[in-house]
Amino acid sequence: MPIQIRVRAVSSDNGIIYVKNINNKHNSENREAPRIWIISQGQTINIDPSSICEEPVSGPVTEYRISELGRYMLDPNPITLEEKVMGCKVKYQRKPSGRVGNFLKKLVSGKNSSSDDDGTEVEEIITMSKTGYPDFNDEALNAHMKKINAMLRPYDPVKKQLMALDKEQIADISAVCEEVGGSRYPLNLQGSIDDKISFISNSLSQKAKVVFNKAYLLNGLFELRGFRFDLFNSDNYYRLIKVTQRNKPRYYVVDANFNFKFWLDDNSLVHYMQILEQTIATDPKLREALLLCIKNNAKPLKLFFSKKLDQQYSGLYLPLTYREVFGSLDVTEDEKETVTKALNDFQNIVFFNYIPWVDRGEQKLFTNISVMHDLRALEPIKSQLPHVYSEIHKKVVESDAGRLYLLDSIREHQSV
């Protein structure tokens, strides 16, 4: 499922860089697997938060312990990553001739262009070159390939197109980045038009440092490449403190010694963390995928939360959990149909993308899909099919996120 995102700025001289170290990955394969966790259950504590809270606090104060990964997901500070730049989008100044003039210009030039809602012409320029940073185990071979790529780069036709642009007619220009899997997204740049053209020209088919606002991108989507999974220590923790101000909950994070770190601007992030905690506890496939990243045997990409699967469950397409339950109970076809109707509501879906390291052969992008289901969806059948309800109730893990159980676990992959 391709996901497009927008980021704010580009930096070429600061921030951290995620570095894959293939040569050292085998050193951690035999390391004892840590306990993977995100957030604990909340408990009331006796502290006075007045030194941190500018406004009065009412009611009890609740503490959750969060792991290093949990803190990363909540952190409002920017993260810096490397993205491959494949070209740009050029937005031209609006011309008096309007849409007809823009259409004629596109017809004559033959360029890949379109129009924004305000009628301005937008041209997309994408390189056909697939070269980038080589990623062999042999560093000498990597260095040799980099030299060859550098010699070929000046001959990329896109560089000539960029240099030939009429800068006085350009309203703005953004880079186009390509994610693993081939999906692309626009990258807003800072600086003058000259600065932007220079950045795109020098970065074509290469990885450039990109600053994201924070690990949480938008609408349930988290960027995980900024977290050092290989350094994850399950014994370390931070404290997430919940207080009530103006009859609304607020959260802030402190370290183990109650030193303040930051306020949480979006309370929905806590819900995502609680969903993830329950999913990790019940889905062995997700735990396995996360362990690969912690052992440095896979590269994490993105984590995405959704409320619905594209595919609806039916009598012909049942999730694994219910195939097992129906197989152990005497359930009629009509009863199966009644249960199936309830499975497409009250879902929480967790998508986790990652790429296992391979010594040879093509790399594959894996997506682990965990379907968590709220027991509330089965209330209508509780009295009609108590034996089915009872079997599902045994699988429930309860937390502040609800009474959830693993409905289905799916793993897909594609070559990259």
Side-chain angles (χ1 to χ4, degrees):
M1 180 181 65
I3 302 171
Q4 289 194 344
I5 60 174
R6 244 176 224 282
V7 293
R8 180 184 64 182
V10 168
S11 168
S12 60
D13 57 0
N14 59 12
I16 58 172
I17 305 173
Y18 183 90
V19 179
K20 182 185 79 171
N21 190 341
I22 293 182
N23 293 332
N24 293 332
K25 69 183 178 71
H26 298 292
N27 296 337
S28 58
E29 285 183 347
N30 297 322
R31 187 176 69 184
E32 183 180 352
R35 178 174 67 94
I36 307 171
W37 67 286
I38 304 297
I39 186 171
S40 71
Q41 296 277 37
Q43 60 179 6
T44 302
I45 59 172
N46 185 23
I47 64 168
D48 179 11
S50 59
S51 61
I52 294 174
C53 303
E54 296 180 357
E55 299 181 10
V57 173
S58 61
V61 177
T62 305
E63 176 191 285
Y64 303 84
R65 294 198 175 186
I66 58 176
S67 68
E68 294 172 332
L69 179 55
R71 182 204 189 281
Y72 168 84
M73 291 173 63
L74 297 180
D75 198 328
N77 294 308
I79 59 173
T80 302
L81 304 172
E82 289 188 326
E83 294 283 47
K84 179 181 281 190
V85 178
M86 298 302 295
C88 64
K89 281 191 174 182
V90 183
K91 182 176 182 178
Y92 291 96
Q93 303 281 0
R94 188 175 183 180
K95 300 292 184 59
S97 53
R99 294 183 181 273
V100 175
N102 287 331
F103 173 76
L104 291 175
K105 182 177 179 180
K106 175 182 177 182
L107 188 65
V108 173
S109 66
K111 294 179 180 178
N112 182 19
S113 60
S114 59
S115 295
D116 270 357
D117 293 337
D118 61 1
T120 55
E121 181 187 355
V122 178
E123 178 186 0
E124 186 176 74
I125 304 174
I126 301 296
T127 180
M128 300 303 293
S129 172
K130 298 298 181 182
T131 60
Y133 281 110
D135 209 7
F136 301 108
N137 284 346
D138 189 329
E139 291 301 327
L141 180 57
N142 282 335
H144 180 67
M145 294 302 296
K146 287 178 182 178
K147 289 182 180 179
I148 295 177
N149 288 346
M151 294 170 63
L152 295 174
R153 198 170 298 124
Y155 299 97
D156 191 328
V158 171
K159 293 180 73 71
K160 295 181 180 180
Q161 286 181 266
L162 289 171
M163 295 302 105
L165 288 173
D166 186 350
K167 300 172 187 176
E168 293 184 357
Q169 299 300 323
I170 297 176
D172 194 18
I173 182 168
S174 59
V176 174
C177 293
E178 186 174 84
E179 296 184 297
V180 175
S183 60
R184 294 170 180 166
Y185 67 91
L187 174 68
N188 295 331
L189 306 177
Q190 290 182 335
S192 66
I193 297 298
D194 282 327
D195 293 335
K196 295 176 182 182
I197 292 176
S198 177
F199 170 82
I200 295 167
S201 178
N202 294 330
S203 304
L204 279 175
S205 301
Q206 298 186 84
K207 292 180 180 179
K209 292 181 184 179
V210 176
V211 178
F212 291 75
N213 290 346
K214 52 189 173 182
Y216 179 59
L217 302 176
L218 76 172
N219 301 332
L221 178 63
F222 291 82
E223 175 59 74
L224 294 188
R225 287 175 296 162
F227 182 70
R228 290 294 303 272
F229 274 83
D230 57 320
L231 300 181
F232 176 77
N233 187 335
S234 58
D235 294 329
N236 292 342
Y237 67 91
Y238 294 82
R239 304 175 193 268
L240 177 66
I241 308 299
K242 177 184 177 182
V243 298
T244 302
Q245 292 181 331
R246 297 183 179 181
N247 297 320
K248 294 181 179 180
R250 288 198 71 191
Y251 297 86
Y252 65 88
V253 174
V254 296
D255 64 17
N257 297 318
F258 289 94
N259 296 310
F260 178 80
K261 294 300 178 182
F262 53 83
W263 280 98
L264 195 60
D265 294 328
D266 186 349
N267 290 353
S268 68
L269 271 62
V270 178
H271 180 72
Y272 291 139
M273 292 175 61
Q274 291 167 336
I275 294 292
L276 181 58
E277 176 66 33
Q278 286 188 274
T279 307
I280 291 173
T282 55
D283 188 354
K285 288 184 180 178
L286 179 58
R287 289 198 302 273
E288 177 188 53
L290 291 170
L291 273 176
L292 282 176
C293 299
I294 289 173
K295 292 181 177 181
N296 209 16
N297 290 329
K299 178 181 180 178
L301 298 176
K302 287 182 172 59
L303 183 70
F304 179 60
F305 295 83
S306 177
K307 289 290 187 182
K308 279 285 186 182
L309 274 179
D310 292 337
Q311 171 72 52
Q312 285 207 334
Y313 292 112
S314 65
L316 298 176
Y317 178 61
L318 281 171
L320 175 62
T321 297
Y322 280 87
R323 293 200 300 270
E324 293 174 346
V325 169
F326 291 159
S328 62
L329 298 174
D330 185 15
V331 182
T332 67
E333 291 301 318
D334 288 342
E335 289 173 334
K336 288 181 181 179
E337 184 66 25
T338 300
V339 174
T340 303
K341 289 179 180 179
L343 301 186
N344 296 307
D345 297 322
F346 294 97
Q347 293 179 352
N348 285 280
I349 323 296
V350 179
F351 298 84
F352 175 53
N353 294 336
Y354 63 99
I355 299 179
W357 301 133
V358 292
D359 289 328
R360 61 187 63 184
E362 63 181 0
Q363 288 189 319
K364 294 184 181 295
L365 168 64
F366 282 82
T367 302
N368 201 92
I369 307 170
S370 308
V371 184
M372 301 296 291
H373 197 222
D374 198 307
L375 193 63
R376 288 180 297 166
L378 300 185
E379 288 296 324
I381 70 165
K382 185 176 180 180
S383 58
Q384 181 182 355
L385 298 169
H387 50 311
V388 174
Y389 185 91
S390 176
E391 286 300 310
I392 297 300
H393 190 273
K394 296 175 184 177
K395 303 177 183 293
V396 167
V397 176
E398 192 166 351
S399 80
D400 290 350
R403 295 181 297 165
L404 306 181
Y405 65 97
L406 181 66
L407 180 62
D408 210 354
S409 182
I410 308 160
R411 185 174 290 171
E412 300 175 344
H413 65 82
Q414 66 182 87
S415 298
V416 294

